[in-house]
Amino acid sequence: MVLTREKIRKIKEDFLREFDEAKSGLEELEKIRIKYLGRKSAFNQMLKELKDLSEDKKRELGPLANEVKKDIKNSIDEAILDIKREKDLQKEWIDVTAPGNKKRIGSLNILSQTQREIERIFNSMGFEIADGPEVESEWYNFDALNMPPDHPARDLWDTFWLKQKSKKDQGKLLLRTHTSNVQVRYMKKNKPPLKIVVPGKAYRYEATDANHEHSMAQFEALVAGDEINVANFKDVAEKFFSSYFRQDINVRLRPSYFPFTEPSFEFDISCTVCEGGGCPACKNTGWLEVGGCGMVNQRVFEAAGYPRDKYQGFAWGFGIERLAMMKHKIDDIRYFRSGDLRFIRQF
């Protein structure tokens, strides 16, 4: 068999024809590779004849044969690579029309949401947010608020007392029973006029039921100045509740008693369901009980280091859970800290 230019071209033509028919399958391509590039292939047999040719023929046919061999190899390699890429794409194929897997995104607990809403409203009225310790001394929690050790009003606050090695500073330690402990702490460092709100947790040693918990969130408000009066409180309260419930709210005061205020009141708001007309939610009274308030007792001002009768102000507070329950129609206070995702995810 004599190697000629025509035979080399004929091999390339035959290869291209078979390659076009078989380049979609790996098995077919492997057969073609063996047929044209295998050790016993007709092409390799012809290439062995190069050594027997004259120098002129070697220079003429050698480069042409190597170029055809290279073209055949590159064509087969590229076809194999394309097939493998296609298979990889099929493995990674994504149906963009299919509904996606929804990722759950965390959110604030409804109590935190309510607290932030309360803070936002009070901030808009010029109030400052204050804070204080949850582990408190007996003096700040009771004595400074006009409740000395033998005062019967202490019985209203079932207290978690803490064990301690020594009773230094202000006496025994406890978990604060209300956020009112911040009143004197703040006034010791600031002088009137002042307007603050104190959100935070409080603790009371009592049995739990649908309306009571041993741990609760409270909100305390304090305003002090030269001519602060009950009318100022009523105006602030109505503005706050109207903004929070997004409807016109009226406030009603009823005489009451708290050791740290004089005079003292329980305050109600017009029913958010019937708007004061009377319904089962308000037991047909038109009013919903919310919290306590009053004019700051002068003994509290004295505990803060203020001269007696120089300033006057009002203080009031309520449970954050209570407000959230009213707004979102929640009937059991224990839901807030139950950890039940069915409840938490509603908000």
PDB file of all heavy atoms in Angstrom, residues 134-162:
ATOM      1  N   GLU A 134     -32.998  44.472  86.414  1.00  0.00           N
ATOM      2  CA  GLU A 134     -34.067  43.561  86.796  1.00  0.00           C
ATOM      3  C   GLU A 134     -33.799  42.942  88.167  1.00  0.00           C
ATOM      4  O   GLU A 134     -34.736  42.608  88.893  1.00  0.00           O
ATOM      5  CB  GLU A 134     -34.232  42.466  85.732  1.00  0.00           C
ATOM      6  CG  GLU A 134     -34.710  42.992  84.391  1.00  0.00           C
ATOM      7  CD  GLU A 134     -34.857  41.908  83.333  1.00  0.00           C
ATOM      8  OE1 GLU A 134     -34.832  40.711  83.694  1.00  0.00           O
ATOM      9  OE2 GLU A 134     -34.994  42.256  82.146  1.00  0.00           O
ATOM     10  N   VAL A 135     -32.532  42.759  88.509  1.00  0.00           N
ATOM     11  CA  VAL A 135     -32.170  42.382  89.880  1.00  0.00           C
ATOM     12  C   VAL A 135     -31.980  43.686  90.642  1.00  0.00           C
ATOM     13  O   VAL A 135     -31.045  44.442  90.386  1.00  0.00           O
ATOM     14  CB  VAL A 135     -30.887  41.529  89.910  1.00  0.00           C
ATOM     15  CG1 VAL A 135     -30.461  41.250  91.343  1.00  0.00           C
ATOM     16  CG2 VAL A 135     -31.098  40.222  89.163  1.00  0.00           C
ATOM     17  N   GLU A 136     -32.868  43.942  91.582  1.00  0.00           N
ATOM     18  CA  GLU A 136     -32.945  45.255  92.208  1.00  0.00           C
ATOM     19  C   GLU A 136     -32.770  45.153  93.722  1.00  0.00           C
ATOM     20  O   GLU A 136     -32.935  44.085  94.315  1.00  0.00           O
ATOM     21  CB  GLU A 136     -34.293  45.905  91.854  1.00  0.00           C
ATOM     22  CG  GLU A 136     -34.458  47.335  92.304  1.00  0.00           C
ATOM     23  CD  GLU A 136     -33.370  48.256  91.792  1.00  0.00           C
ATOM     24  OE1 GLU A 136     -32.257  48.225  92.368  1.00  0.00           O
ATOM     25  OE2 GLU A 136     -33.629  49.002  90.826  1.00  0.00           O
ATOM     26  N   SER A 137     -32.428  46.282  94.325  1.00  0.00           N
ATOM     27  CA  SER A 137     -32.345  46.336  95.782  1.00  0.00           C
ATOM     28  C   SER A 137     -33.725  46.608  96.365  1.00  0.00           C
ATOM     29  O   SER A 137     -34.610  47.174  95.714  1.00  0.00           O
ATOM     30  CB  SER A 137     -31.377  47.436  96.220  1.00  0.00           C
ATOM     31  OG  SER A 137     -31.926  48.711  95.935  1.00  0.00           O
ATOM     32  N   GLU A 138     -33.893  46.194  97.602  1.00  0.00           N
ATOM     33  CA  GLU A 138     -35.172  46.426  98.294  1.00  0.00           C
ATOM     34  C   GLU A 138     -35.477  47.911  98.379  1.00  0.00           C
ATOM     35  O   GLU A 138     -36.645  48.319  98.263  1.00  0.00           O
ATOM     36  CB  GLU A 138     -35.079  45.811  99.693  1.00  0.00           C
ATOM     37  CG  GLU A 138     -36.338  45.974 100.538  1.00  0.00           C
ATOM     38  CD  GLU A 138     -36.168  45.386 101.927  1.00  0.00           C
ATOM     39  OE1 GLU A 138     -35.021  45.079 102.321  1.00  0.00           O
ATOM     40  OE2 GLU A 138     -37.186  45.241 102.634  1.00  0.00           O
ATOM     41  N   TRP A 139     -34.455  48.727  98.511  1.00  0.00           N
ATOM     42  CA  TRP A 139     -34.680  50.161  98.697  1.00  0.00           C
ATOM     43  C   TRP A 139     -35.292  50.801  97.454  1.00  0.00           C
ATOM     44  O   TRP A 139     -36.280  51.521  97.540  1.00  0.00           O
ATOM     45  CB  TRP A 139     -33.353  50.857  99.033  1.00  0.00           C
ATOM     46  CG  TRP A 139     -33.557  52.269  99.502  1.00  0.00           C
ATOM     47  CD1 TRP A 139     -33.854  52.687 100.761  1.00  0.00           C
ATOM     48  CD2 TRP A 139     -33.485  53.453  98.696  1.00  0.00           C
ATOM     49  NE1 TRP A 139     -33.979  54.054 100.800  1.00  0.00           N
ATOM     50  CE2 TRP A 139     -33.759  54.555  99.538  1.00  0.00           C
ATOM     51  CE3 TRP A 139     -33.227  53.685  97.351  1.00  0.00           C
ATOM     52  CZ2 TRP A 139     -33.764  55.861  99.083  1.00  0.00           C
ATOM     53  CZ3 TRP A 139     -33.235  54.993  96.892  1.00  0.00           C
ATOM     54  CH2 TRP A 139     -33.506  56.063  97.739  1.00  0.00           C
ATOM     55  N   TYR A 140     -34.711  50.525  96.282  1.00  0.00           N
ATOM     56  CA  TYR A 140     -35.250  51.123  95.059  1.00  0.00           C
ATOM     57  C   TYR A 140     -36.605  50.539  94.679  1.00  0.00           C
ATOM     58  O   TYR A 140     -37.448  51.231  94.111  1.00  0.00           O
ATOM     59  CB  TYR A 140     -34.275  50.931  93.893  1.00  0.00           C
ATOM     60  CG  TYR A 140     -33.145  51.911  93.875  1.00  0.00           C
ATOM     61  CD1 TYR A 140     -31.843  51.509  94.174  1.00  0.00           C
ATOM     62  CD2 TYR A 140     -33.353  53.253  93.561  1.00  0.00           C
ATOM     63  CE1 TYR A 140     -30.785  52.415  94.163  1.00  0.00           C
ATOM     64  CE2 TYR A 140     -32.309  54.164  93.545  1.00  0.00           C
ATOM     65  CZ  TYR A 140     -31.027  53.736  93.847  1.00  0.00           C
ATOM     66  OH  TYR A 140     -29.994  54.640  93.838  1.00  0.00           O
ATOM     67  N   ASN A 141     -36.815  49.271  94.969  1.00  0.00           N
ATOM     68  CA  ASN A 141     -38.061  48.613  94.562  1.00  0.00           C
ATOM     69  C   ASN A 141     -39.228  48.966  95.490  1.00  0.00           C
ATOM     70  O   ASN A 141     -40.374  49.045  95.039  1.00  0.00           O
ATOM     71  CB  ASN A 141     -37.875  47.094  94.541  1.00  0.00           C
ATOM     72  CG  ASN A 141     -38.980  46.380  93.788  1.00  0.00           C
ATOM     73  OD1 ASN A 141     -38.949  46.270  92.572  1.00  0.00           O
ATOM     74  ND2 ASN A 141     -39.983  45.885  94.500  1.00  0.00           N
ATOM     75  N   PHE A 142     -38.933  49.187  96.794  1.00  0.00           N
ATOM     76  CA  PHE A 142     -40.006  49.449  97.763  1.00  0.00           C
ATOM     77  C   PHE A 142     -39.816  50.746  98.551  1.00  0.00           C
ATOM     78  O   PHE A 142     -40.639  51.664  98.466  1.00  0.00           O
ATOM     79  CB  PHE A 142     -40.120  48.271  98.746  1.00  0.00           C
ATOM     80  CG  PHE A 142     -40.656  47.014  98.122  1.00  0.00           C
ATOM     81  CD1 PHE A 142     -39.942  45.827  98.192  1.00  0.00           C
ATOM     82  CD2 PHE A 142     -41.880  46.996  97.472  1.00  0.00           C
ATOM     83  CE1 PHE A 142     -40.430  44.658  97.627  1.00  0.00           C
ATOM     84  CE2 PHE A 142     -42.383  45.839  96.901  1.00  0.00           C
ATOM     85  CZ  PHE A 142     -41.650  44.669  96.979  1.00  0.00           C
ATOM     86  N   ASP A 143     -38.728  50.838  99.328  1.00  0.00           N
ATOM     87  CA  ASP A 143     -38.567  51.967 100.255  1.00  0.00           C
ATOM     88  C   ASP A 143     -38.623  53.320  99.556  1.00  0.00           C
ATOM     89  O   ASP A 143     -39.306  54.244 100.023  1.00  0.00           O
ATOM     90  CB  ASP A 143     -37.249  51.830 101.006  1.00  0.00           C
ATOM     91  CG  ASP A 143     -37.185  50.578 101.863  1.00  0.00           C
ATOM     92  OD1 ASP A 143     -37.228  49.470 101.289  1.00  0.00           O
ATOM     93  OD2 ASP A 143     -37.112  50.701 103.092  1.00  0.00           O
ATOM     94  N   ALA A 144     -37.900  53.457  98.439  1.00  0.00           N
ATOM     95  CA  ALA A 144     -37.860  54.743  97.740  1.00  0.00           C
ATOM     96  C   ALA A 144     -39.209  55.109  97.140  1.00  0.00           C
ATOM     97  O   ALA A 144     -39.458  56.277  96.812  1.00  0.00           O
ATOM     98  CB  ALA A 144     -36.796  54.708  96.641  1.00  0.00           C
ATOM     99  N   LEU A 145     -40.085  54.112  96.994  1.00  0.00           N
ATOM    100  CA  LEU A 145     -41.417  54.347  96.435  1.00  0.00           C
ATOM    101  C   LEU A 145     -42.472  54.422  97.541  1.00  0.00           C
ATOM    102  O   LEU A 145     -43.638  54.092  97.340  1.00  0.00           O
ATOM    103  CB  LEU A 145     -41.772  53.238  95.440  1.00  0.00           C
ATOM    104  CG  LEU A 145     -40.854  53.153  94.207  1.00  0.00           C
ATOM    105  CD1 LEU A 145     -41.212  51.945  93.350  1.00  0.00           C
ATOM    106  CD2 LEU A 145     -40.926  54.430  93.378  1.00  0.00           C
ATOM    107  N   ASN A 146     -42.028  54.859  98.733  1.00  0.00           N
ATOM    108  CA  ASN A 146     -42.929  55.071  99.871  1.00  0.00           C
ATOM    109  C   ASN A 146     -43.534  53.765 100.383  1.00  0.00           C
ATOM    110  O   ASN A 146     -44.685  53.724 100.800  1.00  0.00           O
ATOM    111  CB  ASN A 146     -44.048  56.055  99.493  1.00  0.00           C
ATOM    112  CG  ASN A 146     -44.781  56.595 100.709  1.00  0.00           C
ATOM    113  OD1 ASN A 146     -44.193  56.726 101.781  1.00  0.00           O
ATOM    114  ND2 ASN A 146     -46.069  56.885 100.550  1.00  0.00           N
ATOM    115  N   MET A 147     -42.754  52.689 100.362  1.00  0.00           N
ATOM    116  CA  MET A 147     -43.195  51.414 100.930  1.00  0.00           C
ATOM    117  C   MET A 147     -42.110  50.866 101.861  1.00  0.00           C
ATOM    118  O   MET A 147     -41.325  50.007 101.476  1.00  0.00           O
ATOM    119  CB  MET A 147     -43.517  50.403  99.822  1.00  0.00           C
ATOM    120  CG  MET A 147     -44.799  50.674  99.071  1.00  0.00           C
ATOM    121  SD  MET A 147     -45.167  49.414  97.830  1.00  0.00           S
ATOM    122  CE  MET A 147     -44.027  49.869  96.526  1.00  0.00           C
ATOM    123  N   PRO A 148     -41.990  51.388 103.066  1.00  0.00           N
ATOM    124  CA  PRO A 148     -41.003  50.881 104.025  1.00  0.00           C
ATOM    125  C   PRO A 148     -41.315  49.433 104.410  1.00  0.00           C
ATOM    126  O   PRO A 148     -42.384  48.909 104.077  1.00  0.00           O
ATOM    127  CB  PRO A 148     -41.153  51.831 105.222  1.00  0.00           C
ATOM    128  CG  PRO A 148     -42.518  52.398 105.083  1.00  0.00           C
ATOM    129  CD  PRO A 148     -42.806  52.482 103.619  1.00  0.00           C
ATOM    130  N   PRO A 149     -40.403  48.754 105.110  1.00  0.00           N
ATOM    131  CA  PRO A 149     -40.562  47.325 105.401  1.00  0.00           C
ATOM    132  C   PRO A 149     -41.887  46.930 106.045  1.00  0.00           C
ATOM    133  O   PRO A 149     -42.396  45.841 105.797  1.00  0.00           O
ATOM    134  CB  PRO A 149     -39.379  47.028 106.335  1.00  0.00           C
ATOM    135  CG  PRO A 149     -38.340  48.024 105.933  1.00  0.00           C
ATOM    136  CD  PRO A 149     -39.098  49.267 105.575  1.00  0.00           C
ATOM    137  N   ASP A 150     -42.470  47.784 106.901  1.00  0.00           N
ATOM    138  CA  ASP A 150     -43.704  47.420 107.594  1.00  0.00           C
ATOM    139  C   ASP A 150     -44.972  47.917 106.880  1.00  0.00           C
ATOM    140  O   ASP A 150     -46.069  47.851 107.425  1.00  0.00           O
ATOM    141  CB  ASP A 150     -43.684  47.976 109.026  1.00  0.00           C
ATOM    142  CG  ASP A 150     -43.512  49.498 109.061  1.00  0.00           C
ATOM    143  OD1 ASP A 150     -43.177  50.073 107.999  1.00  0.00           O
ATOM    144  OD2 ASP A 150     -43.692  50.106 110.138  1.00  0.00           O
ATOM    145  N   HIS A 151     -44.799  48.409 105.629  1.00  0.00           N
ATOM    146  CA  HIS A 151     -45.954  48.979 104.926  1.00  0.00           C
ATOM    147  C   HIS A 151     -46.833  47.855 104.375  1.00  0.00           C
ATOM    148  O   HIS A 151     -46.349  46.941 103.704  1.00  0.00           O
ATOM    149  CB  HIS A 151     -45.469  49.875 103.776  1.00  0.00           C
ATOM    150  CG  HIS A 151     -46.501  50.842 103.289  1.00  0.00           C
ATOM    151  ND1 HIS A 151     -47.659  50.452 102.665  1.00  0.00           N
ATOM    152  CD2 HIS A 151     -46.550  52.206 103.354  1.00  0.00           C
ATOM    153  CE1 HIS A 151     -48.377  51.519 102.339  1.00  0.00           C
ATOM    154  NE2 HIS A 151     -47.720  52.597 102.745  1.00  0.00           N
ATOM    155  N   PRO A 152     -48.144  47.888 104.624  1.00  0.00           N
ATOM    156  CA  PRO A 152     -49.033  46.809 104.143  1.00  0.00           C
ATOM    157  C   PRO A 152     -49.101  46.712 102.622  1.00  0.00           C
ATOM    158  O   PRO A 152     -49.473  45.661 102.085  1.00  0.00           O
ATOM    159  CB  PRO A 152     -50.392  47.181 104.738  1.00  0.00           C
ATOM    160  CG  PRO A 152     -50.314  48.652 105.022  1.00  0.00           C
ATOM    161  CD  PRO A 152     -48.888  48.911 105.399  1.00  0.00           C
ATOM    162  N   ALA A 153     -48.750  47.782 101.920  1.00  0.00           N
ATOM    163  CA  ALA A 153     -48.834  47.744 100.453  1.00  0.00           C
ATOM    164  C   ALA A 153     -47.865  46.727  99.864  1.00  0.00           C
ATOM    165  O   ALA A 153     -48.055  46.260  98.746  1.00  0.00           O
ATOM    166  CB  ALA A 153     -48.549  49.128  99.871  1.00  0.00           C
ATOM    167  N   ARG A 154     -46.836  46.359 100.620  1.00  0.00           N
ATOM    168  CA  ARG A 154     -45.905  45.366 100.095  1.00  0.00           C
ATOM    169  C   ARG A 154     -46.588  44.025  99.845  1.00  0.00           C
ATOM    170  O   ARG A 154     -46.111  43.225  99.035  1.00  0.00           O
ATOM    171  CB  ARG A 154     -44.736  45.171 101.068  1.00  0.00           C
ATOM    172  CG  ARG A 154     -43.732  46.309 101.077  1.00  0.00           C
ATOM    173  CD  ARG A 154     -42.415  45.816 101.629  1.00  0.00           C
ATOM    174  NE  ARG A 154     -41.428  46.886 101.730  1.00  0.00           N
ATOM    175  CZ  ARG A 154     -40.136  46.681 101.966  1.00  0.00           C
ATOM    176  NH1 ARG A 154     -39.694  45.436 102.127  1.00  0.00           N
ATOM    177  NH2 ARG A 154     -39.297  47.687 102.052  1.00  0.00           N
ATOM    178  N   ASP A 155     -47.655  43.783 100.535  1.00  0.00           N
ATOM    179  CA  ASP A 155     -48.370  42.524 100.346  1.00  0.00           C
ATOM    180  C   ASP A 155     -48.984  42.424  98.954  1.00  0.00           C
ATOM    181  O   ASP A 155     -49.374  41.332  98.524  1.00  0.00           O
ATOM    182  CB  ASP A 155     -49.478  42.379 101.401  1.00  0.00           C
ATOM    183  CG  ASP A 155     -48.912  42.247 102.810  1.00  0.00           C
ATOM    184  OD1 ASP A 155     -47.740  41.850 102.924  1.00  0.00           O
ATOM    185  OD2 ASP A 155     -49.640  42.552 103.769  1.00  0.00           O
ATOM    186  N   LEU A 156     -49.097  43.550  98.260  1.00  0.00           N
ATOM    187  CA  LEU A 156     -49.674  43.533  96.910  1.00  0.00           C
ATOM    188  C   LEU A 156     -48.690  42.956  95.891  1.00  0.00           C
ATOM    189  O   LEU A 156     -49.086  42.584  94.791  1.00  0.00           O
ATOM    190  CB  LEU A 156     -50.063  44.956  96.483  1.00  0.00           C
ATOM    191  CG  LEU A 156     -51.117  45.660  97.352  1.00  0.00           C
ATOM    192  CD1 LEU A 156     -51.289  47.104  96.886  1.00  0.00           C
ATOM    193  CD2 LEU A 156     -52.437  44.916  97.277  1.00  0.00           C
ATOM    194  N   TRP A 157     -47.411  42.907  96.251  1.00  0.00           N
ATOM    195  CA  TRP A 157     -46.382  42.432  95.329  1.00  0.00           C
ATOM    196  C   TRP A 157     -45.723  41.172  95.909  1.00  0.00           C
ATOM    197  O   TRP A 157     -44.863  41.257  96.794  1.00  0.00           O
ATOM    198  CB  TRP A 157     -45.319  43.505  95.096  1.00  0.00           C
ATOM    199  CG  TRP A 157     -45.782  44.625  94.231  1.00  0.00           C
ATOM    200  CD1 TRP A 157     -45.680  44.719  92.873  1.00  0.00           C
ATOM    201  CD2 TRP A 157     -46.432  45.837  94.662  1.00  0.00           C
ATOM    202  NE1 TRP A 157     -46.231  45.898  92.420  1.00  0.00           N
ATOM    203  CE2 TRP A 157     -46.698  46.616  93.493  1.00  0.00           C
ATOM    204  CE3 TRP A 157     -46.815  46.354  95.885  1.00  0.00           C
ATOM    205  CZ2 TRP A 157     -47.308  47.849  93.535  1.00  0.00           C
ATOM    206  CZ3 TRP A 157     -47.431  47.585  95.938  1.00  0.00           C
ATOM    207  CH2 TRP A 157     -47.681  48.323  94.771  1.00  0.00           C
ATOM    208  N   ASP A 158     -46.161  40.007  95.436  1.00  0.00           N
ATOM    209  CA  ASP A 158     -45.529  38.753  95.850  1.00  0.00           C
ATOM    210  C   ASP A 158     -44.148  38.690  95.214  1.00  0.00           C
ATOM    211  O   ASP A 158     -44.022  38.649  93.985  1.00  0.00           O
ATOM    212  CB  ASP A 158     -46.373  37.555  95.416  1.00  0.00           C
ATOM    213  CG  ASP A 158     -47.748  37.574  96.072  1.00  0.00           C
ATOM    214  OD1 ASP A 158     -47.794  37.854  97.275  1.00  0.00           O
ATOM    215  OD2 ASP A 158     -48.743  37.312  95.370  1.00  0.00           O
ATOM    216  N   THR A 159     -43.119  38.668  96.044  1.00  0.00           N
ATOM    217  CA  THR A 159     -41.767  38.978  95.581  1.00  0.00           C
ATOM    218  C   THR A 159     -40.855  37.762  95.550  1.00  0.00           C
ATOM    219  O   THR A 159     -40.901  36.912  96.440  1.00  0.00           O
ATOM    220  CB  THR A 159     -41.149  40.058  96.490  1.00  0.00           C
ATOM    221  OG1 THR A 159     -42.055  41.159  96.587  1.00  0.00           O
ATOM    222  CG2 THR A 159     -39.823  40.531  95.944  1.00  0.00           C
ATOM    223  N   PHE A 160     -39.993  37.706  94.520  1.00  0.00           N
ATOM    224  CA  PHE A 160     -38.908  36.725  94.462  1.00  0.00           C
ATOM    225  C   PHE A 160     -37.691  37.338  95.153  1.00  0.00           C
ATOM    226  O   PHE A 160     -36.996  38.183  94.587  1.00  0.00           O
ATOM    227  CB  PHE A 160     -38.541  36.398  93.005  1.00  0.00           C
ATOM    228  CG  PHE A 160     -39.535  35.530  92.298  1.00  0.00           C
ATOM    229  CD1 PHE A 160     -40.395  36.061  91.352  1.00  0.00           C
ATOM    230  CD2 PHE A 160     -39.595  34.168  92.567  1.00  0.00           C
ATOM    231  CE1 PHE A 160     -41.307  35.261  90.686  1.00  0.00           C
ATOM    232  CE2 PHE A 160     -40.513  33.349  91.902  1.00  0.00           C
ATOM    233  CZ  PHE A 160     -41.371  33.893  90.967  1.00  0.00           C
ATOM    234  N   TRP A 161     -37.413  36.924  96.389  1.00  0.00           N
ATOM    235  CA  TRP A 161     -36.235  37.398  97.112  1.00  0.00           C
ATOM    236  C   TRP A 161     -35.036  36.526  96.744  1.00  0.00           C
ATOM    237  O   TRP A 161     -35.160  35.325  96.546  1.00  0.00           O
ATOM    238  CB  TRP A 161     -36.464  37.360  98.620  1.00  0.00           C
ATOM    239  CG  TRP A 161     -37.568  38.283  99.061  1.00  0.00           C
ATOM    240  CD1 TRP A 161     -38.865  37.972  99.296  1.00  0.00           C
ATOM    241  CD2 TRP A 161     -37.448  39.691  99.294  1.00  0.00           C
ATOM    242  NE1 TRP A 161     -39.588  39.074  99.661  1.00  0.00           N
ATOM    243  CE2 TRP A 161     -38.728  40.156  99.670  1.00  0.00           C
ATOM    244  CE3 TRP A 161     -36.398  40.605  99.229  1.00  0.00           C
ATOM    245  CZ2 TRP A 161     -38.993  41.483  99.990  1.00  0.00           C
ATOM    246  CZ3 TRP A 161     -36.657  41.935  99.548  1.00  0.00           C
ATOM    247  CH2 TRP A 161     -37.928  42.362  99.915  1.00  0.00           C
ATOM    248  N   LEU A 162     -33.870  37.136  96.665  1.00  0.00           N
ATOM    249  CA  LEU A 162     -32.668  36.430  96.266  1.00  0.00           C
ATOM    250  C   LEU A 162     -31.753  36.194  97.468  1.00  0.00           C
ATOM    251  O   LEU A 162     -31.610  37.064  98.328  1.00  0.00           O
ATOM    252  CB  LEU A 162     -31.894  37.226  95.200  1.00  0.00           C
ATOM    253  CG  LEU A 162     -32.685  37.574  93.932  1.00  0.00           C
ATOM    254  CD1 LEU A 162     -31.794  38.368  92.982  1.00  0.00           C
ATOM    255  CD2 LEU A 162     -33.189  36.316  93.248  1.00  0.00           C
TER     256      LEU A 162
END
